[in-house]
Amino acid sequence: MESTGDELSINGKLKSSRVREFVAPIPLLSWLLGALVAVALEHYIGTSFAQTLGLRKAPMLFGFDIMLKQPTLIHSALTYLVLIYFLPIIVVARLSAAGMNGLAAILIDYPLMLTVLIHLGMLYAILHWWSNMSLYRADVLRFTLIAVLLTLSLNLINGYMGEFSCSHPGFMALGAYASSVFTLGLFADDRVFGPALLPQWLGPYLFPVALVLGGVVAAVGALAVAIPSFRTRGDYLAIISLAFMFIVKSLIENLEFVGGPRGLGDQPGWANRPVVFVTVVLGIWIINNFVRSTLGKALNAVRDNEMAADAMTVDTRQTKITAFLFGAFWAGVAGGLYAHALRYINPGSFGIQMLAEGLAMVYFGGLNSVYGSIVGACSISLLGEMLRPLELFKWIIIPLLLILVMIFRPTGLIAFREFDVKKLVRPKQASDR
Amino acid sequence: MKKFVFAAAIISIFAACLGVCAYAKGPDVIRIGVNAPLTGDIPKVGEGTKYAAQMWLKEVNAAGGIEVGGRKYKVELVIEDNEAKAESAVKATTKLITEEDVLAIVGPQASKQAIPAGGIANELGTPMISPWSTNPDTTKDRPFVFRGCFLDPFQGPVVANFVKSEFGFTKAAVLYDVASDYPKGLAEFFKKAWEGLNGAGSVVAYESFTTKDADFSSQLTKIINSGAQFLFTPQYYNEVALIVQQVRQLGWKKPIVGSDSWGSAETVKLCGKDCYGSFFSTHYAAAGAKGATREFIDRYQKAYGYVPDDVAALTWDSVRIVKQAVQNCGKLTGDMKTDRKCVRDAMAKIREFDGITGKMTFTEEGDPIKCAVIVRISDKGEFEFYKSVCP
């Protein structure tokens, strides 16, 4: 019995190494090209192909909905997935690997910015085409991207700074309300704020100002948590930040001019796909630079041992306060995007449930890692959406997954990994691991 | 070899299934979306919505479907869970409209989900009817959005007038949740109406608390000491039980009056004897109902084992309004956009719709003009019809 077990494991290892060998020489450009071909395929023949398979429409969100609601159609959904997504991506990526490696090798001599922009352009084209299939996909995409930004800003404090902050929904609420008041007050004929003060066409151009304003207000609010954080650590800071979240919620509930518990609605829908995409990419880029800078390293030093960091001439106070305000700023920006994507906010939304979701995304994806935040936010948001037909069981499956991750990878799926753009876009050799 | 056989088997199953299992959806199907809070804070509301809609579906399909312009259409329900969250309600509405191709949507129920979801439905030109949302913003400036219940600005005065004419009281106490949209709005409308009747200062205690509070003794002591003659508390069923039990323990024997949020099957179960004899305004009364209402209650109770609450009754009326509108539309072209517009126009034109929660006619905003019912919780714990108040 033992020998067969060994054989099996060797066999398994052999297989996985074969897969790895097959995948190793494929650069990111080829993957993107493959995905582009897949979404193009779906765009042009997806609907008619799905109908020949007996589906009503191209399966949304990778067919999960159909598989869970109508088990008799599982094979059609799977066939669709394999033929439209899986095969084209693999085949195109593998076939174009050689050419794309050459292209990547040429691009590497140009400034990194150019390469990155080409990659991002392709990524946006993929997402755009994919989400053009229906408005629902576009909505899921927007809210997932916003979740990425929120998770990243939370990771900054919970992962990089090593404190347990519970105030992020509060920061997000501040950002959402500040930017909504700005746009509603200036550009919309609103019941609360009266007629528009500035012409409509100016609005989209000033939307970045609204977002920055949201971020700044959130950062100012963060001072209330940052100052006590000089004196307390660990559990106590968690309590203070939790209290802050409730203070913000109660404050907004009692502010009649922003609608109180009724909420604030009819924000202009300026947070469309390109705006959200650009803002989130910008956020990832700036946060990534921040955590890889001297300040970011100082932050890690404070987390690992505050006294030692102090002895090594790190100004711990300044480091902590900067990180806190910085994290809060991006949470505020995410809140501004959220308000203008949903077009309705009420204080009840920014409560414990949102906190729990944000924390789940951070810890699922991985602490101290930009990769982890992206993976965590995407997987939790998409899982939540894909498992929706399961109703109550969804709330059992997702926490169960979280528990499993915590058992087998206590710091999250991809923790403590640096997000090195240069490494990501360079050409690959077969020997690379 | 084994592998090859395995692969061949899988492929052949797939190929065989393609021919056999694949079903082409005929054009003779009408899809209706239901957007309900099946999980989250108020699962009982979601359950009532789902059950009422499914009961309706069974009835309609047993009769061969909806007849439009001489053709019978089968009906399919697409039920989506909105987790009692605004964001999810918007996603669910978008999904129903763009992915599921529904002709009309019933729900969401609570205002905090119905307001943003109504915005999307209106933008995408799909008729939506919220059975239970009482916030004016849900339908305001939204031609495609309707509702199945009366509004808070109507309910507040109804309660005030009822208490005035019934007991002749002059001093009122109000206890409400300041952090929740519905109780706060209703408390304000009631206060305004009461002070209109009895002059300024006649609301002698106007106390508030925050959602999920469980101890109300300090507010209740203030209310008792204020010399109020009755207590008005427009809260949800779980809080009603706590408030009423606590105020009775403190020795308060005067009447307690509530609003339509009391009308859940859970209220009496949680509250017990302390609630007996209280009054509340609502959409319909289960005990002592007659005619079509009785029939609905009996069928519901037989199928699901308990007396339907007002959410179920309003959902029942709403799906029937949708059916009526589809029938009145006269002709379905198969083009979603025209059909949805046609259903919307038909719905707006409905006059004197004979619902189990009263006769309804929509105003221009899409709000129904209908009567409210005052219910007394009887000594057996049943919701007993007491009085009907019409606008």
Side-chain angles (χ1 to χ4, degrees):
Chain A
M1 276 314 278
E2 268 177 18
S3 67
T4 46
D6 278 353
E7 243 168 58
L8 269 179
S9 74
I10 290 171
N11 212 353
K13 256 182 209 161
L14 217 70
K15 251 186 213 156
S16 77
S17 81
R18 233 194 270 161
V19 169
R20 219 180 280 173
E21 228 164 76
F22 182 78
V23 170
I26 302 178
L28 187 62
L29 265 179
S30 296
W31 286 119
L32 288 175
L33 190 69
L36 198 62
V37 170
V39 290
L41 212 57
E42 180 169 48
H43 184 77
Y44 289 113
I45 63 162
T47 310
S48 53
F49 181 62
Q51 276 161 357
T52 50
L53 283 177
L55 302 170
R56 209 169 37 81
K57 266 190 163 183
M60 61 197 122
L61 299 184
F62 314 111
F64 258 76
D65 204 74
I66 291 172
M67 294 186 206
L68 293 173
K69 269 190 177 163
Q70 293 160 304
T72 50
L73 290 176
I74 284 182
H75 63 278
S76 303
L78 278 180
T79 317
Y80 182 91
L81 279 187
V82 169
L83 289 182
I84 295 282
Y85 285 108
F86 189 69
L87 275 183
I89 291 180
I90 289 285
V91 170
V92 171
R94 191 66 177 94
L95 289 182
S96 67
M100 284 300 163
N101 265 328
L103 186 63
I106 297 170
L107 281 174
I108 211 98
D109 296 332
Y110 289 94
L112 187 60
M113 202 44 123
L114 179 72
T115 326
V116 170
L117 281 181
I118 290 174
H119 280 82
L120 284 177
M122 278 175 87
L123 181 63
Y124 182 73
I126 292 167
L127 293 177
H128 187 82
W129 245 341
W130 179 79
S131 58
N132 251 2
M133 290 292 287
S134 82
L135 213 64
Y136 173 60
R137 287 186 185 188
D139 261 13
V140 171
L141 177 69
R142 276 193 305 172
F143 287 112
T144 306
L145 284 173
I146 293 170
V148 168
L149 192 58
L150 181 74
T151 310
L152 204 53
S153 71
L154 186 58
N155 206 343
L156 207 62
I157 295 169
N158 283 31
Y160 289 94
M161 195 161 108
E163 299 284 10
F164 196 88
S165 159
C166 299
S167 44
H168 258 61
F171 298 148
M172 201 170 164
L174 285 178
Y177 270 92
S179 57
S180 298
V181 167
F182 180 82
T183 51
L184 282 175
L186 289 183
F187 301 107
D189 292 326
D190 190 73
R191 257 170 301 150
V192 192
F193 304 110
L197 296 173
L198 291 172
Q200 273 290 328
W201 58 267
L202 204 62
Y205 299 102
L206 283 181
F207 186 49
V209 180
L211 289 182
V212 171
L213 179 78
V216 169
V217 169
V220 171
L223 271 179
V225 190
I227 291 170
S229 84
F230 296 146
R231 293 182 165 273
T232 56
R233 297 213 65 169
D235 302 348
Y236 296 99
L237 185 72
I239 301 286
I240 291 175
S241 55
L242 194 63
F244 175 80
M245 188 188 86
F246 284 117
I247 291 170
V248 170
K249 196 168 153 270
S250 306
L251 178 76
I252 298 171
E253 270 159 5
N254 287 295
L255 280 181
E256 219 34 71
F257 82 101
V258 291
R262 279 233 149 134
L264 202 55
D266 289 327
Q267 283 91 341
W270 291 328
N272 48 15
R273 271 173 297 169
V275 170
V276 173
F277 182 80
V278 169
T279 316
V280 172
V281 165
L282 210 64
I284 293 175
W285 182 58
I286 295 176
I287 293 177
N288 191 39
N289 280 348
F290 176 82
V291 296
R292 296 181 70 195
S293 68
T294 328
L295 204 60
K297 298 299 167 203
L299 201 58
N300 280 357
V302 170
R303 175 193 62 200
D304 292 337
N305 190 332
E306 194 167 342
M307 271 201 232
D310 203 22
M312 300 303 284
T313 72
V314 172
D315 186 344
T316 54
R317 274 194 174 199
Q318 199 209 341
T319 312
K320 281 203 278 186
I321 205 166
T322 316
F324 228 109
L325 298 199
F326 190 68
F329 174 83
W330 284 107
V333 172
L337 286 176
Y338 179 84
H340 291 83
L342 190 62
R343 306 188 61 191
Y344 171 77
I345 43 174
N346 65 335
S349 315
F350 302 99
I352 289 281
Q353 196 177 8
M354 183 174 267
L355 173 70
E357 273 169 23
L359 289 174
M361 287 172 191
V362 169
Y363 288 93
F364 187 83
L367 287 173
N368 203 81
S369 139
V370 174
Y371 270 127
S373 296
I374 298 172
V375 168
C378 290
S379 38
I380 296 276
S381 329
L382 288 182
L383 267 180
E385 214 46 53
M386 291 195 287
L387 299 181
R388 193 193 289 277
L390 290 181
E391 289 168 21
L392 205 58
F393 291 102
K394 175 180 139 183
W395 299 106
I396 299 172
I397 291 175
I398 294 178
L400 212 60
L401 272 179
L402 205 62
I403 292 172
L404 288 179
V405 167
M406 289 299 111
I407 291 175
F408 293 106
R409 295 187 80 103
T411 45
L413 285 179
I414 312 172
F416 298 97
R417 175 99 59 91
E418 247 184 35
F419 187 66
D420 189 345
V421 180
K422 213 167 186 172
K423 214 163 140 192
L424 206 63
V425 300
R426 69 170 182 195
K428 299 267 165 70
Q429 262 105 49
S431 56
D432 277 357
R433 281 289 139 87
Chain B
M1 188 57 201
K2 239 193 208 161
K3 240 188 261 169
F4 176 73
V5 171
F6 189 59
I10 288 184
I11 291 172
S12 57
I13 287 173
F14 268 63
C17 273
L18 285 189
V20 182
C21 320
Y23 72 96
K25 186 167 299 297
D28 293 354
V29 170
I30 292 173
R31 294 164 75 86
I32 307 286
V34 175
N35 188 342
L38 298 173
T39 62
D41 292 342
I42 41 173
K44 204 79 193 162
V45 171
E47 191 186 271
T49 316
K50 190 171 138 186
Y51 285 167
Q54 282 172 341
M55 211 167 97
W56 171 80
L57 179 74
K58 227 183 266 167
E59 182 193 278
V60 167
N61 278 346
I66 301 181
E67 195 176 323
V68 190
R71 250 173 89 186
K72 286 258 184 188
Y73 290 84
K74 279 268 175 210
V75 179
E76 264 181 39
L77 274 187
V78 190
I79 300 177
E80 281 292 330
D81 175 22
N82 64 30
E83 302 161 21
K85 271 164 57 186
E87 185 189 331
S88 297
V90 164
K91 280 188 199 161
T93 305
T94 321
K95 185 174 169 188
L96 286 172
I97 296 172
T98 62
E99 293 279 1
E100 304 284 2
D101 290 328
V102 297
L103 194 56
I105 298 175
V106 176
Q109 302 283 12
S111 293
K112 73 173 173 188
Q113 288 113 43
I115 295 171
I120 294 290
N122 189 46
E123 237 165 68
L124 299 177
T126 307
M128 171 185 130
I129 176 162
S130 170
W132 200 49
S133 162
T134 48
N135 190 318
D137 283 353
T138 306
T139 55
K140 198 166 165 54
D141 301 328
R142 290 170 176 168
F144 278 89
V145 184
F146 300 83
R147 79 174 94 218
C149 56
F150 49 70
L151 282 81
D152 296 344
F154 168 64
Q155 193 177 178
V158 162
V159 176
N161 290 330
F162 163 72
V163 175
K164 185 76 194 160
S165 64
E166 190 71 25
F167 301 109
F169 290 159
T170 51
K171 284 186 215 158
V174 179
L175 178 62
Y176 69 100
D177 180 357
V178 74
S180 187
D181 161 11
Y182 163 82
K184 188 173 182 226
L186 196 49
E188 279 163 9
F189 287 121
F190 171 79
K191 188 174 181 223
K192 218 168 108 195
W194 187 257
E195 289 185 338
L197 289 174
N198 296 299
S202 55
V203 176
V204 288
Y206 195 63
E207 296 296 320
S208 66
F209 63 94
T210 308
T211 318
K212 297 207 167 108
D213 278 1
D215 178 17
F216 308 100
S217 44
S218 84
Q219 290 99 323
L220 291 173
T221 314
K222 259 191 218 161
I223 287 171
I224 291 172
N225 293 337
S226 69
Q229 290 160 310
F230 72 103
L231 170 64
F232 175 63
T233 180
Q235 289 306 130
Y236 293 105
Y237 58 85
N238 42 359
E239 291 143 343
V240 167
L242 292 169
I243 292 170
V244 174
Q245 282 170 350
Q246 287 177 20
V247 76
R248 293 294 185 216
Q249 266 164 24
L250 289 171
W252 166 280
K253 297 215 170 51
K254 294 166 193 167
I256 300 171
V257 181
S259 59
D260 67 313
S261 54
W262 282 42
S264 161
E266 296 287 294
T267 309
V268 174
K269 218 185 271 174
L270 291 173
C271 181
K273 283 205 170 78
D274 291 329
C275 276
Y276 294 179
S278 299
F279 294 92
F280 63 90
S281 63
T282 187
H283 310 277
Y284 95 128
K290 292 184 214 63
T293 317
R294 181 80 262 159
E295 197 188 320
F296 164 74
I297 293 167
D298 287 344
R299 278 174 56 197
Y300 190 98
Q301 195 168 14
K302 207 172 142 208
Y304 306 111
Y306 62 94
V307 176
D309 49 20
D310 58 343
V311 177
L314 288 169
T315 307
W316 178 259
D317 272 353
S318 299
V319 282
R320 282 177 57 232
I321 288 176
V322 169
K323 181 186 167 202
Q324 187 70 45
V326 173
Q327 276 171 346
N328 289 359
C329 172
K331 187 169 172 279
L332 293 181
T333 56
D335 174 44
M336 282 327 277
K337 208 176 160 202
T338 3
D339 288 349
R340 284 169 178 163
K341 181 88 175 67
C342 174
V343 171
R344 184 253 155 223
D345 291 342
M347 202 182 283
K349 280 196 204 105
I350 287 179
R351 290 276 166 278
E352 293 276 307
F353 176 82
D354 198 11
I356 59 170
T357 60
K359 284 213 185 328
M360 291 185 227
T361 302
F362 287 115
T363 64
E364 274 193 8
E365 286 289 357
D367 303 324
I369 303 166
K370 64 196 279 192
C371 303
V373 171
I374 302 288
V375 162
R376 181 174 175 273
I377 302 180
S378 74
D379 296 336
K380 278 187 243 146
E382 283 174 326
F383 292 163
E384 206 175 55
F385 176 85
Y386 193 78
K387 207 173 180 183
S388 178
V389 184
C390 290

